[in-house]
Amino acid sequence: MQLFNLKNKNALITGGTHGLGMAIAEGLAIAGAQLIITGTTPSKMEEAISYYTSKGYQAKGYLFDVTDEKAAAENVEKIINEVGDIHILVNNAGIIKRELAITMPVADFRKVIDVDLVGPFIMSQLVAKQMIERKEGKIINICSMMSELGRNSVSAYAAAKGGLKMLTKNLATEWAKHNIQVNGIGPGYFATSQTEPIRVDGHPFNEFIISRTPAARWGDPEDLAGTAVFLASKASDFVNGQIIYVDGGILATIGKPSNEE
């Protein structure tokens, strides 16, 4: 189990104040990591840090926008001075704007690209500098099934997540010689507070997800923890430039769902 032990490791999780980012952060904390959480909303940060500390995890929060290069640089330097080296970076912060491509404002398209793709580049570049000096580091980019597939009304999100997949591969190519592993996780459809209103019997999208997923269920946020711990630990020291899809099997099939005759 020492392969998966994250004791004495500092893990920075962007957008780790709610949802899947919080589930990933908790998984890393259970494996022994000290958490560094970023976010932009003070109330959410206060709630998240309160939750982490109530569970006995070591956690500190920093409020800044990952797309603001100056603020990101200042806070990464502050984190290193106050907490220590960053051993694990999880680029989780992201947004989605649902709008048909024909009517989507260009400003909205740019905003999604900025948060979901440029933000991870800024954070990876900043954090990798001290990883290169130390000759060790783990970067995990939170991709999406939209890194592989298109879907109605998410052209900006799919473009960003497809770009993030290729950014992951390219950073792995450049930084592997420094003993830095850069990989991604592509979540499927998960049971979060955001999806709660549609996860009810009879809702068309709920029925679609359950029937389309070979596992015949929504993912639990905790289902991401094992993959995150693997990619953050010594167990993945020779895994680089890969995207692991945690999707219950959706991307594995184009045939009838497994729960149909």
Side-chain angles (χ1 to χ4, degrees), residues 149-244:
L149 299 173
R151 188 177 163 216
N152 201 37
S153 78
V154 294
S155 58
Y157 184 78
K161 292 299 186 177
L164 187 57
K165 176 185 77 169
M166 295 312 300
L167 178 64
T168 300
K169 292 177 179 293
N170 213 81
L171 296 183
T173 301
E174 292 191 20
W175 296 341
K177 64 186 177 185
H178 301 296
N179 190 31
I180 298 171
Q181 291 79 50
V182 187
N183 293 289
I185 298 174
Y189 291 95
F190 279 77
T192 64
S193 58
Q194 289 94 330
T195 61
E196 187 174 1
I198 62 175
R199 285 186 287 108
V200 293
D201 291 342
H203 193 289
F205 196 72
N206 183 60
E207 300 300 323
F208 168 74
I209 293 303
I210 292 174
S211 66
R212 181 67 180 82
T213 305
R217 66 174 178 86
W218 291 76
D220 294 322
E222 295 78 11
D223 289 330
L224 287 175
T227 305
V229 170
F230 167 65
L231 292 178
S233 69
K234 286 189 64 62
S236 62
D237 276 358
F238 204 56
V239 178
N240 224 341
Q242 303 302 309
I243 315 299
I244 300 178

Side-chain angles (χ1 to χ4, degrees), residues 28 35 45 48 56 85-86 131 179 201 204 210 226-227 230 235 237 258:
L28 299 179
L35 303 180
M45 180 64 76
D85 285 351
I86 300 165
M131 290 180 171
N179 190 31
D201 291 342
I210 292 174
T227 305
F230 167 65
D237 276 358
S258 61

Side-chain angles (χ1 to χ4, degrees), residues 22-241:
M22 202 165 190
I24 290 171
E26 184 163 15
L28 299 179
I30 291 171
Q34 176 169 315
L35 303 180
I36 304 158
I37 305 299
T38 82
T40 57
T41 307
S43 59
K44 285 186 178 180
M45 180 64 76
E46 186 177 346
E47 291 174 5
I49 297 300
S50 177
Y51 172 80
Y52 292 132
T53 54
S54 73
K55 292 286 188 175
Y57 311 139
Q58 290 182 294
K60 292 195 69 173
Y62 293 82
L63 289 167
F64 66 96
D65 183 345
V66 297
T67 69
D68 184 332
E69 187 177 358
K70 183 174 183 292
E74 290 173 351
N75 277 276
V76 167
E77 183 178 4
K78 185 178 180 182
I79 289 165
I80 293 170
N81 289 334
E82 292 181 353
V83 181
D85 285 351
I86 300 165
H87 305 98
I88 302 156
L89 168 65
V90 181
N91 284 311
N92 167 75
I95 61 170
I96 187 169
K97 290 183 181 290
R98 301 183 187 279
E99 178 73 40
L100 294 175
I102 197 69
T103 55
M104 186 174 205
V106 173
D108 284 353
F109 189 92
R110 285 196 176 110
K111 178 64 174 177
V112 174
I113 298 295
D114 204 28
V115 175
D116 294 0
L117 182 56
V118 180
F121 173 76
I122 290 171
M123 292 301 297
S124 296
Q125 185 184 65
L126 290 169
V127 172
K129 289 175 181 177
Q130 47 93 52
M131 290 180 171
I132 289 171
E133 291 177 2
R134 199 176 58 248
K135 292 291 184 181
E136 177 191 25
K138 304 281 186 176
I139 298 175
I140 304 169
N141 292 323
I142 303 305
C143 298
S144 166
M145 289 195 301
M146 301 304 105
S147 297
E148 300 289 344
L149 299 173
R151 188 177 163 216
N152 201 37
S153 78
V154 294
S155 58
Y157 184 78
K161 292 299 186 177
L164 187 57
K165 176 185 77 169
M166 295 312 300
L167 178 64
T168 300
K169 292 177 179 293
N170 213 81
L171 296 183
T173 301
E174 292 191 20
W175 296 341
K177 64 186 177 185
H178 301 296
N179 190 31
I180 298 171
Q181 291 79 50
V182 187
N183 293 289
I185 298 174
Y189 291 95
F190 279 77
T192 64
S193 58
Q194 289 94 330
T195 61
E196 187 174 1
I198 62 175
R199 285 186 287 108
V200 293
D201 291 342
H203 193 289
F205 196 72
N206 183 60
E207 300 300 323
F208 168 74
I209 293 303
I210 292 174
S211 66
R212 181 67 180 82
T213 305
R217 66 174 178 86
W218 291 76
D220 294 322
E222 295 78 11
D223 289 330
L224 287 175
T227 305
V229 170
F230 167 65
L231 292 178
S233 69
K234 286 189 64 62
S236 62
D237 276 358
F238 204 56
V239 178
N240 224 341

